Structure formats: structure tokens, C-alpha cells
Amino acid sequence: MKKSIGIDLGTTNSVVAVKKVSTEVLKNAEGEYITPSCVMVKKRLMRKPEFIVGRDALEWIRQEPENTITAVKRLIGRNFHEKEVQELISKQSHPYQLSTHSRGSANSLAIQIGGREFTPEEISAKILAKLKADAEAALGDEVDAAVITVPAYFNDKQKHGTRTAAALAGLKVRRLLPEPTAAAISFGVDKISGNDGRTVLVFDFGGGTLDLSILTISGGRIIEMGKGGDMWLGGEDIDQLLINYVLEETARDEGIADIRALIAQQKPARKNKFLAELKTAVERAKIALSDQEETCVEILGVLLDQDGDPLDVEVELPRGRFEGMMIPLLKSMLGLVRGVIADVHFTEDLIDNVLLVGGSSRIPCVIKAVKEEFGQEKVLLHERPMLAVAEGAAILSHRLADTVECPQCTRNTAQNATTCSHCGFDLERHTVEHGVVEIVHAAAHDYYIKLENDQRFLMVEKNTPLPCSSTEVFQLVDAEQELVHMKFYNVVNRKEQGIGDLWLGIDQDKEQEKVEKEEEGAARKPLLPSRIEITLDIDENNLVSVNAALLNHPEVALSRTLSRGKADEKLFLELEQALSDADKEQYSTYTVIDLQNRARSIIGSINGVVDPKNDRVDEKRYEQARKQIHKAIKIAANEEAPLTQLYYAESMLDDYAVLIEPRVQDQLRDKIERLRQVDENGSYEETMRASAALSAALDDKRLAQVNTLMQIENASEICFKTDPGKAKNFCGSFPRFWRPLKNRMALWRRSCMPFCRRWMKFWKIMP
Ligand code: AMP
């Protein structure tokens, strides 16, 4: 039977556990419980690279640090231009190279190794694939699904990235479980909750993050009340403090003015070896100081001084000195703890217990600071702080599976059975007393949509119970607006983090036709800007999906895929740039309309480029959309408008066929069909040739009269827009043509309006 496991996908280490009757942490292929979250990309001549994962990869840090990736979790769902990513680059804390992805937008991130680029999701997928394979070997069974833990503070883009990594590794995600909630489950809901229910603060201090969560626990029910923490505060940052200290001490002892410059001058292999050994040595020293009063950091015979002589690093590190360095970090840590409590309008005395988990929670001054804040007796230390999160994930994974092992007879029975079908054991009572009945998750952040003039509109408030759905109606800025670009944000520690964008193409002609049909015979009303209903859904994994519909006209389909920095976003931004350039260049209105019509159909093509489940790019669609954009740019730059011409010819046939000879009609249809075909699939040159052929057909002498009528119509429409009072008299002079003219309003109305250029903005209706 296929198994479902629990995975703690950590910044530094990952752990896998499974629950059958009891919970068991699984050993990896190397016989260890903990797998370093480290991936080495080994180049191979003329072949695809090989990926080494875990302890073996860690060994390569000294030899090929530029090809060995650690702490990839800090990069998942991140943008290259984010402040924190730029800081990582400037501090050189990762020897591998980071850049934007050549297939993505500025909102993407790539890890460059040996001339190849990898997304953080692809690297995380390698770690997950090893965890899955090792678990299968340990269990002797196939593993197809998992509960994967993520920091409570991950935003939607980071969670989406984790899900993508799982899909690439062939794992179905049963739930993305916040790490503190997993830790609480592993502590034993029965041990914490008692009869009356308790409020618990989980303090999860790991390698990369400080993750805080306030939970209420009662009778197997866990309710997430509030979340907080810092994605950039963890053991890695403490190691960085120690690295700075060791370098400063060495510089002082040896009389070196600029030790970082000296390190930079070393040959690359020596420099990389030194930096890798320094990182390992300080981490070892930090861990040692959790049990002893002092230690020493030593790196001998690696660094060379200005004269090329060996320069040994030997720095004494007493615990007191280390604790002095930790003071600012402890202060920000307590600030975050107080913040999360205040967020849910609690006070510290309402917290019944504080659960300490994560490797960095072993540091004595961290434990002391938390005990001083809450009182000694409230603070509980997990016996297996590094394994707790995986255990909690395994317990939930077991709970979400279709069948469970009966705790009494160990045979499989249905998950939803109240008693064991084999031995009659009371499963329901057992779950209430010892297991997890239900978890009520909460939104980790505030979710905003950005409006015209950069105003923010709150769609979902932080800590709202999940799943939740929020629907709001927005009004477009302009009645003529056909293209909309919406930006969605989380606000994390008062900073905006983009989680995805939505591009829509609205066919205003269809919309207008419908309005006109409904209002047949009634007095003509001015065209109002469309209203769009946006629904933001957040599921229990804290994953966002967005739906858009034209209010009152749900049959007018809108494309809707949230793009998150990948190849689709790159194309969307290219298209947006082309439109904004066309606007600045003051192209003729016909050119602009042509470009706008193209953009609408291109948006449809781009929306299918990236598979939302695993971020895979459909190469054929990507190429097609890219070609469409480049062709549109070229057509606009040459001030041409084949589509506008095509619509002109089509409406001529629709409205005036009675006045056109059948042979001329056939000729026109022929040329229209040809232009339509090559416009969709042909090159720029083919399109322009077909457009010239149609133009020649429209210039046929036999169409002179009809062309004149079309121009009168156009003039009437301009009259309608500029002076509606006079328009009545003007149109009254042409009663015979009034009806076809009215039908064609939708097509031509845009041709005379300069404000049709304001298409890329949107507006919120005030309630
Ligand atoms: P985790 O993310 O929970 O696996 O924690 C990993 C982090 O905990 C790394 O930064 C380790 O250096 C750190 N760590 C592990 N054990 C200890 C310890 N006994 N004392 C201090 N830090 C530790």
C-alpha cells in the first residue's frame, strides 16, 4: 500500500517521519535521521549534471562551494531584487551565484551553476526526491504523498514554490503544515491540552527562521490564533555573527588592516576552502557552547598572509563573549514574540505554555531569555527539538490518509470509522484524547490588491480562519479599458511582498453588444466602465487562488492565472512595455486599437504558458506568445493596423451586403479569411502582404459608395461622442442607415476616443 509521510523540509536539515501505530523518524540511506538540506551539482562532460544530496553534498562544500547549494529554502519564492536576496549576495554568504532567471521576469530568481540555471524550486525538488527515495527504501513501500512543513510566516509565493518542488519530486502534498503547528502536534496534544484547553506559544528557532505561533488546543482540536516571526533570523545569522567576530579578532591579533580584502585576494580554491571551513568551525563552536563554557575556533594552514606565509586562525570563544554578541538578536527575538501576542490582542499571562523547538532553541541564553519573559514553569523543551516538526507532520499525514492502523490490533481500518472494524476499539475517543481531530488554520498575513494610484485594498486580514474567500467589486478606470493588470501583495513585518499578478483581457465589444441588445429601442446611455468581481480564495494550506468575472456578465470569459515571476510574467511584462511604449510614441489611434486587440488575444495565449501545478513551461505556447508579441511590436512601430482593417471589411459585409455585388463580396471574404489566418499564425511579412491585398480589394471602385456610407457612420459616431445634442440631427439626415449604424457603434466607438489609451489601470468601486 502506498505510504503517506511527514517531511520537515528545513533550511539546514530535513527530516522524514511516518506514523503507523506509533510515530517513527526514518533513517536516510546514510543511516542518519537528519539529512542536510544541501545539493551539489556535479558537472559531467556532454551529459546532464548529476545531483548529490544530503551529507555527501555537504562534503563538497570545501572543494566546490560554488557548485554546492545550502539554505535554498531562504530563496524559494523570492525575487532577485528583494533587499534580503541582495544582502545575501553582497555579504557573499552563499558562494554560488544568484541572478534573475533568463526565462523569468525581474520577480524571478535563479541559481547559476556551471553555466546552467536552476530555480530554487528545482533544487528543493532534488532534496525532496532524496527524502522520498530514502523513505521508500526504509519502509519497503512506495511513498506517494506527504504533509510538508513550511514556516508559519511563508507567504503565498513561497508556499506555492514548495508545492511546485513537491510536484517536481513526484509527491502529492496532503497539506502544507506550519512548522510550529507541527511541533505542537508532536509535543502531544494530550500532554498540552488537558481538559480545559490551553493557549500555547510555539517558539520554533531553527537554522533559517524564527517561527512563532499562538495556538489554542482542546480535545484534539488545534486552532491557529496568530502567527509571527522573522524569515531571516535563525542559526545561519548567529553563525554570521560568529564569523564576523572570528575575523575581527584574527585581524586584531595579526595586525591586519582589512582581513576581508585579504580573503578576497586568495586564489579562488583557497578562498572557498577557507570560507567553508570557517562556516563549519563557527557552527561547531556555537553548538559546543550550548553544553560547555568555552571553546575555540581553529582553521590552520588554509589562509595565506600578504607575504604568502600561512596565517592560522585561532580564536578563543568564551560563552560570556558569545552571549554578549547575542544581545541585539535576543532583543529583536523578544520584540517579535511580544508583537505576535499583541497581534491577537492577548497578554503574556494568557499564554499557558511556551514550547521550544528547533536547533537554535538549544542555546542557553535563548532559553534564559524566554524563561525570563514568561516564567520558568511555563517553558517546555521538546526532547527531540530537531525531529519534532517531522513527527508532527507524520501524525497529520496519517490523519489525512484514507485508512489508519488501529492502535489496539494494528490492522488497517477506515479513517472515518468510529470503532475498529476488526477489534471494536473506540477510535473516536482515542483521537479526541491523544490525536488530532481537526486543525483550524489561519491566514499568515494580510492580503492586499493594489489599486490605481498605488492605493492598497485589504482583501483578507491576517489570522482570518481558513479556508476563506473574499469577493470585492472593482471598477475599471475607463469605459474603454480592455486590459487590466492587478497586483497582489502580502504585507510581512510592515514590508510589501508581491505574491503574484493577474492580467486580464476583456472583450468590450462583446460586452457592449450585449448591453445594446438589452437596451434595444431605449435611449442610448453613455458607456460605463466595466465592473469586475475579484474573488480571492485561500485554502487551508494558505495557498491563494484568484478568480475574476465581469459583473452581471459572467458569460464574458476572463483569463485568470496568477503569475509569479516565471516565464509567463516575463511575457506579460514585455507586452505591457510594448503597450506603454506605443502610448508614449503617440501612435495613431488605429495602430493603438490594433495593438490593443492583439494584446487581448496575446494575454489569452500567455495565460497557458506556465502549468500552475508544477511551473513547467509549455515551450510551444511560450514561443507562440513570444512571436505574437514581437509581431505586434513590429506592426505598431510601422504604424500599421491590419486588424482594424479586417474589422472594417467584416462590418462592411455585415451591414451593407445588400449594396455589394456577390462577386465583390466573395473577393472580400476571401481576403478577410486569408488575413485572419496569417495574422494568427503567419510572419509579419505574410500578414502585411495579406493586409495589402485586402486593402486593394477595399479600394475597388465598386465599393466606393459603401465606403462613403461607412465614413458617414464614422462621422456620426464622432458626433455622438463630441456633441450628442447635434448627433441626433446629424443622424436624422440618414434614416436609412440608422439601424446598421447603431449596430456598429461598438466597433467604431473607440476609433475616435483619445482616452482609450488608459487601459492598463484599474479602480476600486467605493462601497
Ligand atoms: P533546525 O532548522 O531546527 O534543524 O535547526 C538547525 C539550526 O540549529 C542550525 O543553525 C544549527 O547550527 C542549530 N543547532 C543545532 N543544534 C544546536 C545546539 N545544540 N545549540 C545551538 N544551535 C544548534
Side-chain angles (χ1 to χ4, degrees), residues 116-157:
R116 294 176 72 110
E117 50 185 9
F118 301 94
T119 60
E121 291 83 351
E122 283 166 337
I123 298 299
S124 279
K126 300 295 170 201
I127 301 171
L128 285 170
K130 171 176 167 66
L131 299 176
K132 176 178 183 282
D134 288 0
E136 284 173 341
L139 293 166
D141 226 332
E142 196 186 332
V143 168
D144 70 332
V147 166
I148 301 180
T149 60
V150 285
Y153 233 46
F154 252 18
N155 68 24
D156 172 74
K157 209 170 156 198

Side-chain angles (χ1 to χ4, degrees), residues 12-13 206-207 235-236 283 286-287 290 358-360 362-363 386:
T12 322
N13 299 307
E236 295 264 330
E283 188 179 7
K286 172 188 74 175
I287 294 174
S290 292
S360 302
R362 301 293 92 176
I363 298 174
M386 313 268 288

